[in-house]
Amino acid sequence: DSQEHVDAPKCHPNTRKAVLEQIKNWIILTVTRAQWILWLNGAAGAGKSAIARSIVELCIERNIPIARFFFFRTDSTRNNIKPLVATLIHQLIQSMPDMEPIIIPRIKSDPLIFTKSLKTQFEFLIFGPLHKLKRSFIHLNTLVFLFDGVDECDDEDDQASIIRIVADFVKSNSFPVLAFFGSRTEPQISTVFRSAALSDITRTLALDDKYLPDDDIRVFLNDSFDEIKRTHPFARLLDTNWPTTSEVGEIVEKSSGQFIYASVVIKF
C-alpha cells in the first residue's frame, strides 16, 4: 500500500484468474503439503509484481498473516537487503501482535543488530521469536513470507542468500511458514531453486503461454479503451468503432505476452 505510483498496479479484473487461483489454492491447502515454497518466474513486464500484490490483498482479506518485501531496482530504499528484516518485523508485529513482546526486547538487547549479517538478523529477530511463539500457542495460522523482484536486489549473492535463509527455516518445521518468491529466471536464482535442498519442496509457476496471457491482455485493452471513450475530454472526436478489433489484436500480438507493453500503450 505504498504511496509510490509504481506500487499501485494489481491484476486487472478478470485477468490472471488461472494463476491466481493456483496460488490461492496453494496457500489455503488443507491436505498434507509437500511444497512449502513457491517460485513465480517470468520475463520482465510479465506481471509478476501485479500478481504478488493481488496475493497480498487476498491474504489480508482472509486474515492470513503475511510479511512481504517488494524489491525495486531503481529505488535505493528497496534495491538492497538493508531494510529487509526491519520491514518484515514491522509487518509481523502488525499481523501477529503476540510477536511484539518477544521481538522488541531483542532489539533493545542488541541495538546494533540491524548492522549484522542477514542470516543473524533473520535468526535473532524473526525465526527465534516465531519458534518461541509456537511453543506458547498450540494453534497458529500459517504465515506467508512474500518476496517479489528478488532479481532486483543489487547484489546477486544476497539474492541467493535470501532464498536459502528462508528456505532453511521453512524446512526446519519450526513454525508453519510458506514462502513465495517472484523473480526473473536469472542463473544465480535458478541454481538455488534447482538445488537438491530446495527442489523437493518448491513449486515452480512460470508465466508462459500456458496461462493464455494474450486473452488476459485483450481483456485489459478492451476495458481500458472503453474507459478512455467514456472519460477522455476529446472522446467525441473518436469513431464509434475505435479501436477496431484488428487494431486491438495488433497490440496484443506486439505485447508478446508482456502486460507492460499493453500498459504503456494505454497510458500513452
Side-chain angles (χ1 to χ4, degrees), residues 76-147:
S76 61
T77 68
R78 290 191 291 142
N79 63 7
N80 61 84
I81 61 169
K82 290 180 180 178
L84 177 59
V85 171
T87 303
L88 297 176
I89 289 171
H90 172 70
Q91 295 168 352
L92 282 172
I93 290 173
Q94 285 189 316
S95 60
M96 302 168 68
D98 292 312
M99 291 285 283
E100 183 172 358
I102 304 174
I103 293 175
I104 299 304
R106 292 189 175 214
I107 296 174
K108 289 180 178 179
S109 72
D110 187 358
L112 296 179
I113 183 63
F114 293 108
T115 66
K116 296 185 177 179
S117 73
L118 186 66
K119 189 172 190 293
T120 297
Q121 291 183 53
F122 262 105
E123 290 180 348
F124 188 63
L125 295 175
I126 296 180
F127 300 155
L130 285 174
H131 184 62
K132 187 173 182 180
L133 188 68
K134 185 182 179 183
R135 293 202 305 266
S136 304
F137 296 90
I138 299 175
H139 300 292
L140 288 165
N141 289 333
T142 298
L143 167 66
V144 178
F145 282 122
L146 184 147
F147 305 90

Side-chain angles (χ1 to χ4, degrees), residues 42-63:
K48 301 182 295 298
S49 295
I51 290 171
R53 291 187 189 98
S54 294
I55 292 302
V56 171
E57 193 173 65
L58 172 101
C59 288
I60 292 172
E61 288 174 353
R62 290 174 172 261
N63 292 317

